[in-house]
Amino acid sequence: MSLPSALIRRNHSVATRCVRLCRALACAWAVLASIAAVAACGAGVPHPAPVQVLSNYERAGNTIRRDCGYSSPLPGKPGWSLWLFCDTVIADARGGKAERLILGTDTAAVGPYRAGRAPARLSEISTPPAPLTLPSAGPPQPFLPAPQGLLLPGGMFPCTGPGAYSASWISGVTREQSASAFSGLLISYDDYCVTGNAGSLTVEGFGLIEYDPASNLLSSPARVFGNVTGLQLPPQQVLGSPVFAGDGYLYLFGFCPAAAPPAGCGRGRVFLARTVAQPAYWQNPLTYQYWTGGGWSSDETAAATLITVGRPLGISVGDYAADGRGLVMVEQTSLAGGFQAWQARSPTGPWRLILTGRVPCGRDAQHGTGGLCRAIIGHPELSTRRQLLISYFDPGNSHVDVSAYPW
């Protein structure tokens, strides 16, 4: 979240999610570059060698360029995890010209994982509700349904026309801990109207959707917060990183970058919202409460920041209790790959800074070394007691890579 605030906020843990080969993003990149020039870079730990997250389709000799990667262990299938990616480009046989663009939605893959390593044998998932074939070497396919009812910014006309389209981008995924119909995974997403050849992204909705990986079924999308006038949602309602803390509540996190309004909130802020951990509640906007620093309020404007010295361009929060770390927040601090990691025993904190670093992005031919490095996301199931594993979009190879950091 930094440049137009919607562009960074839309990803919740990503500065932008679209792949660099798409001409539609040229405008957005120009703005992002100006923000990267003033954003502070992380420092502290060495840059470990990156490892690509690979699917069987890629291992068969095909080329995929894709942005951002969220993951979660699969319920009922130990040692396997689901990966959710943002915009995806399937290149031609030579890995050059784009052959197929999957934009404005997400793609998914599933496969075995091992803590301490990046997954390398993921099977791309067919668009739900098509039956799963595992293992598979098939190509990526759209995962989430296209959002409905989005409007051009500030108007009453549909989000369509030259250079405009509706988009849903995932902002987090976690295993459910409730008696829902699916009892599978809960996915958070944000809806955007993309206009002006991706030069402007207006976030108009936040929603949740359940996924049953055993049957490859998605529930109906539940848009919790939405704007019927094409105006941008307040940052407190642009949420992601769902966490079940075991106390009967579902917690979600939002943020606002350290920038002058309207692009930011002055100082960087991270918000916390909660609702009862049952579908009837998390689908109802009237049940959401915000942490004020001393209690809970239904007024989003009363939301306090969880961290006082942060400069978030994106965040991802997960439960690392199995690694002896409790809750961990990975905060992206620059578009050159800088990040900070924070630790807390409960969602309300206090949050303690435990790590500062920078992911080893390669050279982007358009913006130079480390330019537009983004989508810095932590992965509890891949991490260990000694290492935090983080994925990120590397503009040098237009791919999702993973690196490990001692903590």
Side-chain angles (χ1 to χ4, degrees), residues 21 50 69 184 192 243 265 307 336 372 389 405:
L21 286 188
Y192 289 81
V243 170
C265 295
I307 56 177
L372 305 189
L389 268 72
Y405 296 83

Side-chain angles (χ1 to χ4, degrees), residues 75-172:
K77 199 171 180 62
W80 281 59
S81 64
L82 173 75
W83 277 74
L84 301 171
F85 302 98
C86 301
D87 291 343
T88 298
V89 172
I90 303 175
D92 62 17
R94 296 179 300 277
K97 182 180 178 182
E99 188 174 82
R100 184 185 177 197
L101 307 180
I102 304 178
L103 304 179
T105 179
D106 302 85
T107 59
V110 63
Y113 74 88
R114 183 175 176 182
R117 299 184 180 182
R121 295 186 179 274
L122 297 174
S123 296
E124 303 286 346
I125 292 179
S126 301
T127 303
L132 285 177
T133 301
L134 298 176
S136 170
Q141 297 186 31
F143 183 68
L144 285 187
Q148 303 296 316
L150 299 188
L151 303 174
L152 291 174
M156 298 301 295
F157 296 100
C159 180
T160 58
Y165 63 93
S166 297
S168 281
W169 284 298
I170 288 168
S171 59

Side-chain angles (χ1 to χ4, degrees), residues 155-213:
M156 298 301 295
F157 296 100
C159 180
T160 58
Y165 63 93
S166 297
S168 281
W169 284 298
I170 288 168
S171 59
V173 57
T174 190
R175 293 181 62 172
E176 290 186 356
Q177 297 179 7
S178 66
S180 73
F182 282 99
S183 295
L185 298 173
L186 183 65
I187 299 168
S188 60
Y189 64 90
D190 300 312
D191 290 333
Y192 289 81
C193 179
V194 184
T195 56
N197 289 328
S200 176
L201 298 108
T202 303
V203 57
E204 298 183 18
F206 154 74
L208 295 163
I209 189 169
E210 295 175 90
Y211 177 60
D212 177 6

Side-chain angles (χ1 to χ4, degrees), residues 260-353:
C265 295
R267 299 179 62 182
R269 305 182 70 191
V270 175
F271 308 110
L272 175 65
R274 77 173 186 182
T275 184
V276 176
Q278 297 178 18
Y281 288 86
W282 70 53
Q283 295 173 5
N284 183 350
L286 299 180
T287 67
Y288 281 69
Q289 298 176 314
Y290 298 86
W291 179 245
T292 66
W296 296 92
S297 171
S298 59
D299 180 6
E300 73 271 8
T301 63
T305 184
L306 294 177
I307 56 177
T308 57
V309 293
R311 28 185 212 281
L313 297 180
I315 57 170
S316 73
V317 182
D319 186 351
Y320 293 72
D323 304 318
R325 295 287 176 172
L327 296 178
V328 174
M329 176 193 307
V330 178
E331 173 206 5
Q332 180 169 349
T333 58
S334 82
L335 293 181
F339 72 88
Q340 298 183 142
W342 302 77
Q343 181 179 341
R345 293 183 178 180
S346 71
T348 57
W351 289 85
R352 179 174 62 91
L353 183 64

Side-chain angles (χ1 to χ4, degrees), residues 8-32:
I8 299 216
R9 185 163 48 250
R10 75 172 169 116
N11 165 3
H12 197 77
S13 67
V14 195
T16 105
R17 289 181 176 165
C18 299
V19 265
R20 73 179 180 88
L21 286 188
C22 308
R23 288 184 60 191
L25 295 181
C27 242
W29 283 348
V31 185
L32 279 169

